[in-house]
Amino acid sequence: MAAAGAASPSGDECVEEEEEEEEEEEPGSAGGAARGRGVTLRALLRDGVLQPGHGVLAIYYLGKKFVGDLCADGAITWSGSGQRFRSPSAWAAQCKRSVQPGRKSGCGWASVRYRGQRLDRLKTLWLRERARRALPSEGEEEELPEEEEEGRGDSGAPPAEPTDGRSRKQRDTAARAPVRYCALGTRDAARSPRTLVEVTPFAAVHKFQPFHVAVSSNVLLLLDFHSHLTRSEVVGYLGGRWDTDTQLLTVLRAFPCRSRLGDAEAAGAVEEEICHSLFLRGLSLVGWYHSHPFGPALPSLHDIDAQMDYQLKLQGSGNGFQPCLALICGPYYHGNPGVESKIAPFWVMPPPEQRPNDYGIPMDVEVVYIQDGFLTNDVLQEMTLLVEFYRGAPDLVKFQELWSPDRTYLDKLKGSLASRSPKEQSFAHILEQIYGLLRHSG
């Protein structure tokens, strides 16, 4: 995203980014609004999602807090400076550049909080309501998005068991049979965002993978451990380095999000902490991961749109290409061979130019896995913190119960992590201590 220009001395003119603000689209349009693009603060003010006020907006970045006023026309006034901005992204970029002059973008909707709630969360809820009103069968019960379905992570309440004699997992798997991308066609608001889509090999579209990927085994071990802990979906970020000369993306660290889905305030604090950790280690944000606890490691339509947005955010306004990797972990899916979790990488190719309203194409990414010689203290500490975070939660996996006729959930976890553990065994006693915590955490 381009640098913001200087404000006028009077503060009456808006600071603009070189990239023009996107026009707001009409409700129900099949274009950018369906993906959250083109949404403005004016639209959320018009529909009563937001209210203008002094000091209602805030950004927390690297230990600093920035406060802003939301104006009735949708502009943002930076308290103390009098500068006005036309969008959250412009304000966030300016704030973050005041701390890090080399910062290129602000990721505004995700960085700005309105009365403690992240703007991107409010925007998502607003878009969902608009989509619901546009459905032809209005009045039917709305399907929960994928990240809120299994275990009802937001409310903390355990899922109700169906009354048709089948378990929830059996019914959900049957209802979510994956489809091929070519069967999707044009974007359809009536299609469930939880629809799973098969990934497409690059060779199938006569293209070469545009970048190489190497992933540390410690990354896989930590995200696999995180995914095993709860019946709800988990999310985390990936840190690493991008080498433009060799076109190699190296993923070196996983950063689990220790927050509950729907807790916007806690999520914002966790993400700022992760940004700070990346900065201290000299790493860049190179991707994200999430889990499908009892389903296959395939992207849903929701995942595809989210990945496309992440790719655009990491790209920023620069001309150089920088990839963003997505990993999906399916820890307890019985369709996986053996006890090892399926961890699947994917990347999204934009739809053809002549079909701009189609979904992005989920591409199967080839990855080289690097076997680490030992577990780092960072990984072991993250594992301990995760056990403490989920201790006593209603959706915590009961590790003493049977996952299969001859294996408990703890056996399943150990078996999966064994394939990702370093051969050097000096850390084994620490892992056993962590497993001991899991036995008594429910």
Side-chain angles (χ1 to χ4, degrees):
M1 198 169 290
S8 66
S10 65
D12 291 335
E13 296 183 5
C14 288
V15 176
E16 298 183 16
E17 300 168 285
E18 290 180 12
E19 182 180 4
E20 294 183 359
E21 183 181 22
E22 293 177 295
E23 293 296 326
E24 179 186 344
E25 300 191 25
E26 291 299 316
S29 71
R35 298 181 293 276
R37 301 175 194 161
V39 180
T40 64
L41 292 177
R42 290 193 305 272
L44 273 63
L45 285 164
R46 178 194 63 208
D47 287 359
V49 177
L50 307 177
Q51 299 292 333
H54 296 291
V56 297
L57 302 176
I59 293 174
Y60 298 88
Y61 185 64
L62 296 182
K64 295 185 178 295
K65 179 179 180 180
F66 305 92
V67 178
D69 305 333
L70 180 59
C71 305
D73 62 355
I76 297 171
T77 301
W78 188 355
S79 301
S81 72
Q83 290 177 289
R84 284 165 57 88
F85 300 85
R86 293 177 58 186
S87 70
S89 296
W91 181 45
Q94 190 81 335
C95 290
K96 293 183 178 183
R97 275 195 292 269
S98 71
V99 180
Q100 287 181 284
R103 178 86 181 191
K104 293 184 179 180
S105 66
C107 300
W109 286 89
S111 298
V112 180
R113 299 187 203 177
Y114 169 79
R115 301 187 187 276
Q117 298 189 63
R118 270 176 36 181
L119 281 182
D120 61 343
R121 173 67 174 168
L122 295 173
K123 178 176 70 172
T124 298
L125 294 174
W126 179 76
L127 286 166
R128 187 182 301 167
E129 178 63 17
R130 280 177 44 162
R132 186 189 66 80
R133 291 176 181 176
L135 291 177
S137 55
E138 188 172 11
E140 294 182 2
E141 182 179 356
E142 183 182 12
E143 263 194 307
L144 289 171
E146 176 188 355
E147 70 271 23
E148 296 177 5
E149 176 67 21
E150 186 65 51
R152 297 294 181 95
D154 284 356
S155 65
E161 286 297 320
T163 57
D164 62 358
R166 292 179 297 165
S167 71
R168 183 186 187 89
K169 289 180 288 185
Q170 289 172 328
R171 187 176 63 172
D172 190 54
T173 301
R176 299 187 64 196
V179 301
R180 299 182 65 184
Y181 175 81
C182 60
L184 289 175
T186 303
R187 187 176 290 273
D188 183 359
R191 188 185 293 274
S192 170
R194 299 178 62 248
T195 301
L196 296 176
V197 184
E198 295 179 359
V199 292
T200 300
F202 281 93
V205 292
H206 308 292
K207 292 182 179 296
F208 293 102
Q209 185 171 307
F211 51 90
H212 308 290
V213 181
V215 179
S216 157
S217 62
N218 280 346
V219 170
L220 301 180
L221 184 142
L222 182 54
L223 75 86
D224 195 13
F225 180 79
H226 188 194
S227 301
H228 274 88
L229 296 182
T230 170
R231 305 176 75 86
S232 300
E233 182 172 314
V234 303
V235 178
Y237 292 101
L238 303 173
R241 296 188 178 91
W242 167 240
D243 189 323
T244 55
D245 294 331
T246 61
Q247 297 290 289
L248 173 63
L249 184 74
T250 308
V251 184
L252 299 169
R253 279 291 309 273
F255 295 90
C257 288
R258 294 189 301 277
S259 59
R260 305 297 297 187
L261 293 170
D263 189 343
E265 185 169 357
V270 167
E271 289 176 358
E272 289 298 335
E273 180 184 341
I274 290 173
C275 286
H276 188 58
S277 295
L278 285 166
F279 177 73
L280 290 178
R281 290 166 173 78
L283 300 177
S284 301
L285 180 65
V286 297
W288 66 299
Y289 72 85
H290 73 289
S291 67
H292 292 176
F294 295 95
L298 291 172
S300 66
L301 293 178
H302 172 86
D303 299 335
I304 292 170
D305 282 347
Q307 170 64 8
M308 191 76 250
D309 286 342
Y310 279 133
Q311 290 175 193
L312 292 171
K313 286 179 180 178
L314 282 191
Q315 188 69 30
S317 60
N319 295 323
F321 172 76
Q322 177 180 336
C324 171
L325 183 70
L327 297 175
I328 302 177
C329 181
Y332 295 120
Y333 180 51
H334 283 280
N336 296 334
V339 296
E340 183 176 328
S341 301
K342 172 73 172 178
I343 299 178
F346 79 99
W347 181 77
V348 174
M349 182 183 295
E353 291 185 5
Q354 65 273 24
R355 298 180 62 87
N357 294 330
D358 283 8
Y359 297 95
I361 308 170
M363 306 301 297
D364 185 19
V365 175
E366 293 185 4
V367 173
V368 173
Y369 296 106
I370 304 170
Q371 182 64 51
D372 289 301
F374 57 92
L375 280 183
T376 65
N377 289 331
D378 283 344
V379 171
L380 294 170
Q381 182 182 27
E382 284 285 357
M383 294 173 76
T384 303
L385 291 173
L386 284 169
V387 173
E388 291 299 320
F389 178 78
Y390 289 106
R391 182 188 297 275
D395 53 352
L396 176 71
V397 169
K398 299 184 186 303
F399 285 97
Q400 295 308 301
E401 293 185 354
L402 289 176
W403 171 73
S404 68
D406 58 347
R407 285 189 178 92
T408 64
Y409 280 90
L410 186 57
D411 294 331
K412 162 67 177 72
L413 168 61
K414 289 182 175 182
S416 187
L417 295 192
S419 62
R420 316 189 195 284
S421 298
K423 294 181 179 179
E424 204 277 317
Q425 292 293 308
S426 63
F427 63 88
H429 69 286
I430 302 178
L431 274 185
E432 284 301 323
Q433 292 176 10
I434 294 174
Y435 296 148
L437 294 174
L438 289 178
R439 291 189 186 95
H440 303 97
S441 59

